[in-house]
Amino acid sequence: MYQTLLVRIIPTSQQEELLWILSEKCRLLYNFALAERKDAYSNGTKISYIKQQNDLPNTKKQYPEYKWVYSKVLQSVLKRLDANYKSFFSLKKNGDENARPPKYRGVDYFFTMTYNQSGFEITDSKSNKIAYNSTDTTNYLYGADKPEYTEDDEVFISFSHNHPSGLELKFGLPAKILYDRILRVADEIAQVGIYQKKDGGYYLSITYNVPCLDFKHNDKYLAMDIGVSKHTMVDSDGNLREMINKRPDKYWEPKIQQIQSRLDHCKRYSKKWYRLKRNLNRMKQKSSNQLKDFQHKKTRNIIDNTDANVIIIGDLSAKQMASSKKGDKKSDKSTHRGTHNSAHISRFAQFLTL
């Protein structure tokens, strides 16, 4: 089972500048590939991911700056565009009239750089090489000898690139946290990504594989009805339980709307505009973090307090539930907004399986 750990990093000003340079090349490649697909579609033809990937060497010859970015990262850019198109066509096939094709990325967009299979190296402060390739993570860490890390030890993740500056993209992370969360239990590190959140912070997303435990059926069940305001559960013994769904968005919503209104009446890209935009992103991030923290704690509480090995959840579509319909009342629109803001159905179910 693949899981992802998010860890914040603090790059230096030089590293941050280099990250934006590499991200800009990824963004331009995405936009060029999107334009190529749109042109082909208007001419009655199609372009596949394989075709665009095979054209990468010619692109590098014509524009040598693309050689600065690691090859696997460029391939992941084209894979993302292909996945976006597949998602769009899937929605259209299922009758979603609001489905829209992929859009161009703006100049202020930080494009996530994904290092898949290779291009990253993981070492620790004890000069041990933990992983240099996701297909070859078998190391002494997975053998009989287990390392003992203290709070002062670090694990370093470095990323490959060919920028003329030669600046090293190497970031230190707490060794004890990474060992307990990943290195001690994972048998593979699938990929590592670098991205930026709306609050301006930079993060590493480390995707790793944890072997699944053998399932043992004990003939006990727990059925759940996930709602906007509360979650209702009943087990195979007939015990009924309700859990209130905290709504941090209700606290933050009027504050966010107030800042958004001021932002709409402010001169774009002015000092005040940037200040309000930064505060708005922080509020949205705070609301999202509080909801995610609540979901983590509640799902952990559910698992710890039930002896059922099977949890049944209704097959619901949050997107359809939150879609406004003709004749909806004001209370219905409030419920739709709550469904959107809660983001509870899919993520709550996902947390139950982790």
Side-chain angles (χ1 to χ4, degrees), residues 26-263:
C26 295
R27 184 188 70 86
L28 291 176
L29 178 64
Y30 183 92
N31 289 345
F32 289 155
L34 177 58
E36 186 179 26
R37 289 203 177 205
K38 288 188 173 184
D39 291 342
Y41 179 77
S42 61
N43 295 328
T45 59
K46 294 183 180 179
I47 294 181
S48 65
Y49 160 74
I50 299 299
K51 169 66 167 58
Q52 292 186 318
Q53 177 186 277
N54 293 337
D55 289 342
L56 276 177
N58 295 330
T59 303
K60 293 179 181 179
K61 289 181 180 179
Q62 187 174 2
Y63 305 100
E65 295 84 1
Y66 286 99
K67 295 180 181 179
W68 299 349
V69 187
Y70 189 71
S71 58
K72 286 290 184 180
V73 176
L74 294 178
Q75 293 175 16
S76 70
V77 172
L78 299 178
K79 285 182 180 178
R80 180 180 301 182
L81 175 62
D82 187 63
N84 291 343
Y85 262 109
K86 288 181 178 178
S87 176
F88 164 68
F89 289 130
S90 177
L91 292 174
K92 291 288 288 185
K93 185 177 180 181
N94 294 331
D96 189 350
E97 298 179 355
N98 296 322
R100 295 292 181 269
K103 296 181 179 180
Y104 295 106
R105 305 299 186 181
V107 67
D108 57 345
Y109 181 85
F110 185 90
F111 206 96
T112 300
M113 293 177 286
T114 303
Y115 287 79
N116 181 25
Q117 295 183 345
S118 61
F120 63 90
E121 181 180 83
I122 304 178
T123 58
D124 60 20
S125 53
K126 301 179 184 294
S127 301
N128 296 312
K129 181 179 289 187
I130 299 172
Y132 63 90
N133 192 317
S134 67
T135 59
D136 186 14
T137 54
T138 303
N139 197 275
Y140 82 98
L141 289 177
Y142 305 101
D145 298 330
K146 300 294 184 181
E148 294 184 2
Y149 291 120
T150 65
E151 300 292 341
D152 297 329
D153 291 324
E154 286 188 298
V155 166
F156 302 97
I157 302 183
S158 55
F159 299 93
S160 300
H161 66 87
N162 297 312
H163 191 265
S165 66
L167 182 65
E168 188 177 30
L169 287 178
K170 186 175 182 179
F171 307 99
L173 308 173
K176 190 171 180 57
I177 295 178
L178 259 70
Y179 179 75
D180 292 340
R181 292 287 303 274
I182 299 179
L183 305 176
R184 182 177 58 85
V185 297
D187 61 1
E188 177 192 9
I189 299 178
Q191 67 182 31
V192 182
I194 308 175
Y195 72 101
Q196 184 188 44
K197 286 188 177 182
K198 290 184 177 181
D199 60 2
Y202 295 88
Y203 294 80
L204 295 183
S205 61
I206 307 173
T207 303
Y208 56 98
N209 183 48
V210 178
C212 295
L213 300 176
D214 294 334
F215 175 73
K216 294 182 180 179
H217 203 311
N218 61 354
D219 295 327
K220 293 187 177 182
Y221 302 88
L222 178 68
M224 294 188 60
D225 178 26
I226 303 178
V228 175
S229 59
K230 63 182 179 180
H231 309 318
T232 305
M233 295 167 284
V234 59
D235 58 23
S236 52
D237 296 329
N239 299 317
L240 184 66
R241 178 186 174 190
E242 289 186 346
M243 178 186 299
I244 301 300
N245 181 26
K246 289 187 176 180
R247 294 283 304 280
D249 59 290
K250 281 194 171 183
Y251 170 80
W252 289 104
E253 186 176 330
K255 301 178 184 297
I256 290 176
Q257 289 181 346
Q258 183 181 22
I259 296 295
Q260 184 67 62
S261 177
R262 293 174 61 188
L263 187 67

